[in-house]
Amino acid sequence: MARVYDVTKGKDYYGPGGGYAFFSGRDGSRAFVSGQFDEAGLIDDVRGLSSSDYLGLKQWEEFYAKDYKKVGLLEGRFYNKQGEVTEEWKQLQRDISAAVKEQDTQDSEKKVFPPCNVEWTKEKGTRFWCTAKSGGIARTWIGVPRKLFYPGRDERCACVRDTGSPSTDPGASSNRGDLDNPHLKQYQDCPPDSFECWNKAK
């Protein structure tokens, strides 16, 4: 992102004939997350990327800052002739900050609503099921599969705690866990208390 690094120690990769030689001498930031390594893709315009792509840019920036010495800045989209940041640089930082915040929110969400285990076969269709560790989240409960939905986001299968007080009100006398959360709905033809559901193949 317009920062110039001395990559001499990585010359096998960035020197002539190296696998990443196309990055040398230019700001091809977008290609780091798009994977488009031709002239059309090796550009510094990183507007309109997805949240995960902005996180990817942040990780690449951290990688270079750790492994290589910064020796300068590239005048253009992100820095002016005096080395001062531009409005586009400020917008990029806002986009990255928003992506980090969204990731933190989703990480917290996954602790309450861990992703289900999922498998698909042509013969049987899709199976969703819950265990005491699914989606990388270990816990003391198993839960039941439900569709988790939020406006503007794709639905996903979540394992939902079905006993105890709701996460949003730990002092409540309810013993239904998080089943009454308004962002949940049952899978069709799935017993509400079953730890697994099937979307049968047609």
Side-chain angles (χ1 to χ4, degrees), residues 24-91:
S24 296
R26 71 167 85 203
D27 184 348
S29 295
R30 194 178 189 93
F32 278 105
V33 292
S34 72
Q36 185 180 350
F37 300 130
D38 57 15
E39 287 301 311
L42 287 162
I43 56 176
D44 60 358
D45 185 355
V46 293
R47 293 172 294 182
L49 295 174
S50 68
S51 180
S52 61
D53 284 338
Y54 284 119
L55 292 175
L57 283 176
K58 179 176 181 291
Q59 291 166 355
W60 275 110
E61 184 178 35
E62 291 170 349
F63 164 76
Y64 279 100
K66 177 182 177 183
D67 282 25
Y68 297 101
K69 180 181 179 181
K70 188 177 79 170
V71 295
L73 300 171
L74 182 64
E75 178 187 353
R77 185 180 295 274
F78 298 112
Y79 296 94
N80 63 22
K81 195 171 185 177
Q82 289 73 40
E84 300 167 334
V85 298
T86 64
E87 285 302 317
E88 287 220 37
W89 184 91
K90 293 176 183 178
Q91 181 59 53

Side-chain angles (χ1 to χ4, degrees), residues 118-134:
V118 181
E119 67 178 3
W120 176 88
T121 63
K122 184 176 181 180
E123 296 75 22
K124 295 183 177 180
T126 304
R127 177 192 180 208
F128 306 94
W129 79 101
C130 296
T131 56
K133 183 178 181 180
S134 62

Side-chain angles (χ1 to χ4, degrees), residues 157-178:
C157 182
C159 292
V160 180
R161 186 167 52 84
D162 55 351
T163 60
S165 301
S167 299
T168 54
D169 188 5
S173 58
S174 168
N175 191 37
R176 287 175 51 78
D178 293 310

Side-chain angles (χ1 to χ4, degrees), residues 51 55 97-113 148 150 153 156:
S51 180
L55 292 175
S97 294
V100 170
K101 184 176 181 181
E102 181 179 339
Q103 182 186 47
D104 290 343
T105 298
Q106 292 184 5
D107 287 347
S108 297
E109 173 193 294
K110 286 180 180 179
K111 291 179 181 178
V112 177
F113 298 121
L148 178 67
Y150 290 97
R153 286 169 49 183
R156 71 169 176 87

